[in-house]
Structures are given as C-alpha cells and as structure tokens.
Amino acid sequence: MEKLLVVDYGGQYTHLIARRCRELGVYAEIISQDLELVGANLEGVKGIILSGGPRTVTTDDMNYTFQNNLRLMFDNNVKALGICFGHQLLALYHGAKLEPGGNPEYGQTVINVIDNHALLSGLDRTQSVWMSHSDEVRELTSDMIGLAASNSNRIASFADKNGKYFGLQFHPEVTHTDNGLSVLRAFLRNICCYEEEWKPEDQVGDILQYINETVGDSKVLMATSGGVDSTVATVLLRKGIGERLFCVFVDNGLLREGESEEVSKSFQNMGFENFVVVDASDEFLMKLEGVEDPEEKRRVIAETFIEVFERKAKELQQEYGQFEFLGQGTIYPDRVESAATGKDTAVIKSHHNVRLPDWMKLKLIEPLKDLYKDEVRLVGLKLGIPEKLIHRQPFPGPSLAIRISGPVSREQLKILRHADSILQEVFESQTFYPSIWQSFCVLLPVRTVGVMGDERTFDQAIVIRSVESKDAMTASVSKLPWETLLLVASRIANEVKGVNRVVYDLTSKPPGTIEWY
C-alpha cells in the first residue's frame, strides 16, 4: 500500500497534517524524528512531510539519523515537504541561512505568491495564511527558488530547483489558511504522484484479515463501553471470530439516563450472544463517597473498574476456558499520544483503555489502531452499525463523576441525569444536533437565590456546555439558537428539583478544556 510519512517534531498540528492527507485519499503515518529509516520503512512511500515544532532549529538537528534519512529518501526518489520548523530544517541543511527570533509572525498573515510553481498553483496571488513562528529562513542558496513572501518580504515558501524538497513557513493544514488544502493536494498529486485511492471504509477487509491472522482459533475478552470506538471494534472482532468473542459491559452507576439499558438493547439487537452486563453501581458509589478531587475520582473509578472486570473475567474463564487476547477500541491518536512520537513531543495522556491485571497474561488485539475517530465512524457505517450508535457523542471514561463538582452522591447524580436528559431531548430534536461534537450539563454545588412561585429558593446551578470540533484537540463554542437555549434553561429550572439557575459556557478550547473536571 502507498503511504506518506509525517515526521513528528513536536508541533501541535502534526496529527492534523496526517488527517488532511488521509482526507485527500493518501494513507499518512506519523513517525518519530528519531526513527532511523531503512529500505523497509520506505516501501510504498513517495513523500515525507517534516512537521512544525516548538523550538529553534540548531546544528544538533543535523545529526547522523537526519542526514542518513534524507540521503536514503532522495536516493529512493522520495519528495520532502517541510512545514514551519520542517521548512527551516530543510533550508538550513541545504545551506540556507536562518535568522533567530526578534520579529515573530503569529496568526493571520498575508503572503504574496511570486512564482507560478505547481506547489502553490491553487493559491491566489495574494493569500491569507496562518503563521506561527519567530525564527525564519532569511537567505536561500542558488539551488533554491523563492515561491512566496509575506508583506514584510520574508520568505514564506521555497522549492529546490531539482524538485526534491520544498518548504512552507505557513500552515496549509489549518482551516485558517485559505485554500491551504490545495497546497497539500499539489504536493501529494502533482509532486509525489499519489493516487486518491485510500478510504478508511475500504479497510474493513484488511482489518478482518489482521484479526484472523492475529487471533487464530483463540478466544477474545472485550470490555465494551458502548462508545463509538468500542462498539466498532467489538463488531469487527465478532465479524472476524464469531462467538469466540466475549463482551463485558460494566455499569458503574455513573452513566446517563437509561444508558445501560440502551447499550444492552443495542448489542442484543445486533445479535451478540456472549454479552454480559455487570451492575457494579453500589461498589463504585461506595468507593467514591467523600471524594472531591477530579483526579482522585478518576483514579478510584479506574481501579474499581479493574477490580470488577477482573472478577467477571475469572468467572467467564472458569466457565468458558482460557482467553488469550484482550480486545480494545484503541484508535490512532491514543497510540501516538501515549508513545510520544518525538523527543520534543509531550506524552499527552497515558493509555486510556483497560490496564491488565497481573494474572491476566493476555495479548492485545486492537482493530482500530491505525484509524482516527472520524474514520472509525465511516468504518462503522460500512459495517451496518445503526447510525445512532455511530454518531453518539463522546462520553468520558469517569462518566458523570467528573461533571459534578465535589463529592458524588445518588442525589447529585439524580439531579444531573435529569438536567442532562432534558438537554439531550431538546438538542436531538434540532437540525443543528449533528454539528455538535459534545453537549452536556455540569452540576455546580454553588447555591444561588431564586424565586419559584411566591417562595424563595436557594439551590444549585447547572452549566450547559456545547462545542464543535473535528477531533477534540481544539473546540469552539456552539453558536446555538437563542430560543433553544432559553427553552432548555426554562425546562431545567422548572422541572429539575434542586436547580434554580442555568448558565451557558462560552469558553473554547483552548484556553479551556471540553470537560470541566
């Protein structure tokens, strides 16, 4: 299979570069800047993109691995595109001069296209782009052509006269760069000669082959949450190995209104026979009693889940025999972010799926490990999974516990569930609902004075949170119809006992996060 490599230098948009290339029909894979390429790494590779990064390019970056990789790439006719940090790195390596700091360009910037090169053929002669840099390429060599410059006459793009490598100081992958996708398309199609042939939904056959070759005749145990990734991975495994798949759904007592019943019914309707529901509500709530800190809540919930899952796994193993694999709905960002693909890349989060107890010497099977969430949804639709399950909004692992400020109790859960059910009922009936990434309520134990009838009230507040996003790495506040927000607020204040005030969160990510706690 043809593929493009994206070298991770710690830039915040590295994932976005890979996703944009996939959207253009080319399979893109993120690799560490420390990975030493060999012939096998370059099989099917026609192009490589060097990502942005948060630091200054130095001569230390011109190490053996980098130089050897470039030589190998060019010997194999692999084209290179540098973006931001990568643009500066390629330029410095080939003899151009860099100028450090002093006069940064951040945000929306106007550039002028000064050469009719294929790379920038989709841009207007005067083009608005997104910049994020202080260091810059100041002087090109005689082997390079300047393709674009900013209004202050600073080099915004260049090309090697021999057509081997190219540089962009701006970010074509972000939506803030007008016509930016045309630059990536030109690099992939016109320069690297990739065909538009990769579609995530066409990968089902390859995934099933991976499952069959990996699992063989063994049994697989799967912790199923009912979320999009978990559901699609579970259906793929069942399609691959049939009833040798055993699913465990743990009801932690922290789920949304009717969620446990809804998930169970959905899997019954899809014909799953070995699907077990474990009601551990009392155990989770007892362990959470008095816990206020959000991180402590996460720790308690994670450890309790492991204990519950372990007990049920032992029971199933005694009844059905040895399990050799644990199925997980791990997706591509989970793997990349957990492993941190570059030495300058932060470990964004530890692996969020099931942590194996010591006694369970199981091997992992991860059918979705090479896909992004939007790609997982396309695979799910290809498999015939009901659209309601595929388009479910993301739900945090710690569930409603991290949407309640302070200790979790049955009474607080009852209030939050009721408010959230009203929100979902109203929003789901609106045409804007498919555009929302996540919408939910947060319960604040901050009491405010209100009036209901002729009585003074002193009750809690509910926060409505609704955001739009592609992958949750950034998110913007949903600009919802005012009448809809007023309807939700009115119903919550009037119908939910214990709440007398409703507010709408106007904070995007960044600076906030999607979840509150």
Side-chain angles (χ1 to χ4, degrees), residues 157-198:
S157 178
F158 73 87
D160 162 41
K161 288 182 178 178
N162 296 315
K164 292 184 176 181
Y165 57 91
F166 309 85
L168 300 170
Q169 184 60 77
F170 61 92
H171 288 272
E173 70 276 13
V174 301
T175 55
H176 305 294
T177 292
D178 296 340
N179 302 321
L181 212 57
S182 72
V183 179
L184 290 176
R185 183 182 291 109
F187 178 69
L188 296 174
R189 301 277 187 272
N190 303 336
I191 294 171
C192 299
C193 299
Y194 283 108
E195 299 290 333
E196 186 176 353
E197 60 182 11
W198 188 85

Side-chain angles (χ1 to χ4, degrees), residues 211-324:
I211 291 171
N212 289 321
E213 290 177 353
T214 304
V215 175
D217 296 326
S218 303
K219 296 186 184 72
V220 176
L221 184 64
M222 180 91 183
T224 306
S225 69
V228 176
D229 304 332
S230 172
T231 298
V232 175
T234 303
V235 170
L236 280 165
L237 283 165
R238 204 275 299 269
K239 193 174 180 67
I241 66 171
E243 299 313 317
R244 287 181 286 123
L245 173 68
F246 292 77
C247 303
V248 177
F249 174 72
V250 176
D251 182 352
N252 58 15
L254 307 167
L255 304 177
R256 291 166 289 195
E257 191 75 47
E259 185 161 15
S260 180
E261 295 80 7
E262 182 183 344
V263 171
S264 300
K265 186 176 180 181
S266 296
F267 276 85
Q268 275 183 347
N269 291 342
M270 287 190 290
F272 279 78
E273 294 182 13
N274 300 323
F275 186 87
V276 180
V277 178
V278 180
D279 185 354
S281 306
D282 292 341
E283 187 170 347
F284 277 88
L285 290 174
M286 182 184 69
K287 296 280 185 69
L288 284 169
E289 190 172 345
V291 178
E292 296 192 28
D293 181 72
E295 286 307 305
E296 182 64 10
K297 288 179 184 178
R298 286 184 170 87
R299 186 192 65 78
V300 169
I301 291 167
E303 291 185 357
T304 306
F305 179 88
I306 292 166
E307 293 169 8
V308 172
F309 184 76
E310 182 178 3
R311 285 200 305 268
K312 177 51 67 173
K314 283 182 176 177
E315 290 177 19
L316 291 172
Q317 197 151 282
Q318 287 173 358
E319 185 174 355
Y320 296 103
Q322 183 71 35
F323 294 101
E324 291 190 28

Side-chain angles (χ1 to χ4, degrees), residues 361-411:
K361 306 300 182 185
L362 301 185
K363 293 170 280 189
L364 287 179
I365 177 76
E366 300 170 308
L368 306 175
K369 61 187 176 68
D370 293 323
L371 300 179
Y372 288 93
K373 186 175 286 287
D374 54 336
E375 297 169 344
V376 171
R377 294 187 199 277
L378 292 173
V379 169
L381 293 173
K382 178 84 170 183
L383 291 167
I385 298 173
E387 286 198 27
K388 187 172 183 180
L389 291 177
I390 291 303
H391 294 300
R392 288 188 76 192
Q393 294 180 3
F395 189 58
S399 310
L400 296 181
I402 59 167
R403 292 178 180 172
I404 294 175
S405 177
V408 177
S409 67
R410 292 184 190 277
E411 181 60 28

